[in-house]
Every structure is written in C-alpha cells, then in structure tokens.
Amino acid sequence: MGKRKRLLWLAVLLMGAAVWAGCETEADPVRHEAVSTRNVIMNRDGSTLYVANIDVPTITVVNAKTRKVVKEIPVCKDPATLALSPDESKLAVACTGADRVDVIDVEEGEVEQQLKVKGEPYGVLFSPDGNRLYVSAYRADQVDVVDTDTWQITKQIPVSDGPRAMALTADGGKLYTVHYLSGKISVIDTRSEQARKVVALSPSPDKSDRKKSQGVPNTLEAITISPDGKRAWVAHLLTNIDTPIKFDETIFPAISVLDLTRDEEIPDERKELFEEINVKDTNNVTMIVSNPSDIVFHPDGKKVYVLMGGSEDLVVFDLDRGGNATSILRRVPGDNPRGLAISRDGARLYVHNAMSLDMAFIDTNAADPYSGPSVNGSNLRLVKKDSLSPVVRQGKRLFFSANSDEYAADITKDNWMSCASCHANGETNGLTMMTPKGPRNTPSNVLAMETGRFLWDGSRDDFEDYILTVQGEMGGMLKYDPGKPLPPKVKEMYRALAEYLKTIPVPKNPDIPDNVEQTAEWKRGKEIFEGKGRCIQCHAGRNFTDSAMAVDANGKLTVFTLSHLYDVGTKNPLDRGNPGDPRAGMKNPRPPYLFDVPTLRGVFATPPYLHDGSAQTIRDVLVTRNGQGKHGNVSGLSEADLRALTLYLESLD
C-alpha cells in the first residue's frame, strides 16, 4: 500500500472512530448533576416541561417558551413523580394508585413499558448513565432497582418505613430517600445497593414560647441537593405533640439541612418559622406560611426557592445574606402548589398547582438582591378533563388548603394549617397529639364516611360536627355558632370535604401474597378472629367495626347513647371525660374509658395503635396493652396462633 493510500485509509479510520465516538456520546450520555424526585421536570436545554398530573392519569408536555401544551399522554392511575433518562429518550412515571411505573418513549409520546411495582411506587430517578432506575415503594418499605435494558427489578433494597421522595448525587454514588412520617432519611450506597446509614432529623428544642418550641419532624415532602453537592434541603413539618392542639402552637413549616460530606443533619441551619422564616408584612407582622411542598436552588447556588403548598406561597432564601428567608411571594396563582422547576438561567420558576391542574409562571428577579419574585402572565391549564367530579375536587382543594382568604369561610386562621397537616396525604401523620381529652392517636380518614361515628369517643355522628375541630384546633370559622344550623355556604364546604374523604382508597398490604386466603395460617387466623379470640364481637361486618350500629329508634346514627362504646382496658392516666359539646346540645357526654371501634381494614398501614398510640404493633394491641384481657381473648393463644391472627389482621383491605 502506497503512502498516499495509507494516509487516506488512516483518515477514513479516524473519521469512522469520530463518528462512532459521536454516536456513542449521543446514545449513552452521562448526567453530571444531582437530581430529585419531582412532579414537574425540565429537559436539558430548557425547552420542554413534563408534568405528572397526580389525580389525572396523564402526563402533560409543555413548551416552556411558548407556554403551550404540546401533548397530554395517558398513563397509569395517580401519577406521583417522573424522571427523564440522561439521553432524554425515556420518561419514567411512578403511579401510586396502580402499583406501576410507566415508561414513555419521549419521541413517540406514548407508554412503551409498564413495570409492576408493589407497594405504591412514589419516587423514580435514573442513574447518571441511565442503566438503572430507582423506585421508592412507599408501602413496601424498600427501594427497587430496575435494569433499564431488560426493565426488570434486579434488587429490592430494604429501608425504613414509608420511603417517598428521593435525591441522587451527581456521581450517582449516593441515593437519599426520605421516610414520609418518621422524620428519617436513608442513605443508600448505590454501588453495594445497601442502605448504609439512617439520619434521624432532630426535634425542635423545647422552649417556654410554644411558637418557638415547634416539635418533632414529620411529613417529609421533598429533598433537593445544592448545586455544589455539599448540602441537601429537606421540606417537612414540625408538630408539637406534648402540648394541647392549638392552631398557632402545634403545626409548623420547616426546612432541615443535611451535610452530604458526613451525611448528618446541621441543626443550626434548620429554617423555622419566627426564626429563619420571619418575613414581615406591611403591618410588621410575621407572614405565616404552611405545608412546604418542594424546593429548588438557583443554578448559581445563591438562592433557594421553597413552595408552601398549604398557604400557597413562595419563600425565597438568600444564601449570600445569611441564608434566611428574605422575601415571600404571597398567593401563587392557582390551588395547592405542589411542584417546582427552574429555568437553566435561573430567571423563571414553573409551578405545578396540583388542585387547579395548571401551571403558574414566576420571574425570579434574582439579579436584583433586593427584589423578590413576581408573577409573569396567566396560568396554563394542563389537562383537558379532570378525573374528579367538581364536588370531590372542591373537597380536596379544601382539605389541602391553608389559605385563609380563598374560601367562603376560613377553614384555618392566618394560614397556619390545613386538614392535611395532621392527616398526611388524606390519611394520618402517625403521631399521637395532646388534646383536652388526653393523648389521641391521629386517625386515618380511610373509610371515615362509612364506619359510623367519628372520633375515638364516638361523640360525633355528622360530618358537619367537624366545625368543632376547625374552631378549636385550626382557628377557623370562629364567627359561626356551632350550636346553631350552619349557613348554606358552610354546609356546602363540609359536604365537599366529606365527598373527597369517600375517595381515599384502603391501602393494600404489599407483604401479603395474593393467595394468602388459601394458606393454613391465614385460615387459622380468621378462625381465631371469629371464634376463640372474640374479635368479631366488636370488629364486625364488611368494615370490621360495629360503630355504625349505634342508632336511635328510627335507625339513624346517634351520639345520644353509650352503646357500641367499649372499655377495652386501655385508659391512659391523662385521659379526661368529655362533658358534651354544643353541636349535640351538651347531651353527648363521654366517660374517659369508653372508646369507639375503629375499622380494621388497612390496619397494617396505621401504626401506632389504640386511642393514645400506646401500641406500636398489632401484637402490642393483642398482648402488651391487653393485660386485663378486655381487648380480645388471647390468653391461651400460642405464638403460632398469635402470628396467624396477626397475619389475618394485616391482610384486611
């Protein structure tokens, strides 16, 4: 071969190598930034937004420049969060209501893979190279690892209870997952695929001023890693459980900060109301914000934007000016802002409003250190049709709202708290709160409208009776006399709330196999429940409670009787009787030792148990807190029998 031919051949080889390298780079790009689970995300060049519509089984694709909907893609039920693969060809969507992750081909705009994931998958994140997809399975207490070549689960990493939001470091080496109700964060080593550490967020120290003694961390909604990778901010609530419930002394917003070099909390950097969150209004009064829902950093790392889903505000923290909140955009347009994305230049924020099903556009005005964000234009409707009926949507809006100015009657005072502040995601916060009646375990709203009377002492029989909770604990609707008929506009609000509660599904235990009813152990547990254990005497019928049998001579549910209330030997020394309430003309007194029968459907998901939360497990209910034998006859049961009975109870849905 001559020199000229050799040079020509070498040039061809080099061109081929370059083409191959270019194809390889294009086909297998690597992401170089940290990511977090979100319900609204932006692609790399900032041209396109993807939104998980939460209640509506669709993903909306938005052109960020024209502010128009490009496409609405059908997906599985209750899409919670989504993630874009590093090459931006795939969009993964976690659907809590379907126990499924859908994978969308971005170019085609349709679902190409459906992955079955037990335990209500909530968070999804791709590894930096796109070879793995991480999925947090909320009810299953694990993080699943999916091989994106085969779309099969290759590893199930056990973690603490209730993993939801996640964040992955830029190099993909560490995956953080928050535990929704327990105030903990697991640190997963992605190379060994093991949880190597659990960080427990610290309680707010007790102080004489109850507004500064803010309680225990819970309801962890979001975690976001700073651009330099050294910090992670976690949005959550603080709940005072050792003082009587009062709207301005019980529930507080907070943002905790983790040092990611040591994987430890930095307590001195926590952002709390009246301290680091202390922006004054025109009357020099601290602006109350509530229910933090999402966090994004400005690309230069100098400012942090935190959505307050309850009060419907946007709070700006300036890290160049001490790290405290410096401004608040009051009332983001829309209802229940739940998701946040920021443009690549940091000039614009995109807010996903979960209840009004639209997107708000906010200018950050970050170039001016003394200017706060401002609304830019009108909202964009994201869906063609709401999956919820108008009355259910109205009820859900009310349930998640702490906006004191928006509705016909204020459901909370001064934007402090929403129903969801205690009943997280419509269910329970897993805490035992102090009340005038004594310690009370926050009940789940699952089946609340189908299981008879309300409250642990069964002292309410009408959902409108909850005006007593709104007035006494949330500080709202104080101008109405609870002993008199409520105005039509207020009655309509309670009707809408009740209709929403009817839609909350009974959780399904992912640890129970589909064929459990055919096993000898389950059959033995059912036999004990209905026979020797005598459980069915109170936990009867389809909903496993006899509360609905407390009726008057006309067959109507009533609070004017102590029937179907029971002394099960669990009275707490702090329990106090109830002299009655004005809704019932003070004719429904309750002694401190009689309790209503809760449903057992979905009971696996509602620890702790009993009215005072004194039983951490079902076994504790049956044995540890049943010393008098009044709560089922278990005295002669063997360990095998107790396991069988527990299995049966945990299978009820």
Side-chain angles (χ1 to χ4, degrees), residues 230-244:
K230 296 179 179 179
R231 296 280 194 271
W233 284 34
V234 182
H236 61 93
L237 297 180
L238 291 168
T239 303
N240 244 332
I241 59 174
D242 55 1
T243 57

Side-chain angles (χ1 to χ4, degrees), residues 618-641:
I618 291 176
R619 181 189 170 85
D620 287 338
V621 174
L622 298 171
V623 180
T624 310
R625 292 288 285 125
N626 192 21
Q628 300 177 48
K630 295 182 177 181
H631 205 164
N633 178 31
V634 299
S635 58
L637 296 184
S638 66
E639 285 299 318
D641 285 343

Side-chain angles (χ1 to χ4, degrees), residues 475-487:
M477 299 185 176
L478 295 177
K479 65 182 179 181
Y480 302 106
D481 183 344
K484 295 180 180 179
L486 299 177

Side-chain angles (χ1 to χ4, degrees), residues 416-453:
W416 272 94
M417 59 195 299
S418 67
C419 303
S421 297
C422 293
H423 297 280
N425 205 37
E427 297 181 15
T428 173
N429 60 7
L431 297 176
T432 299
M433 316 277 281
M434 186 56 66
T435 76
K437 300 176 185 179
R440 290 295 183 267
N441 179 12
T442 306
S444 172
N445 282 315
V446 170
L447 299 174
M449 303 308 300
E450 302 177 32
T451 52
R453 295 180 294 196

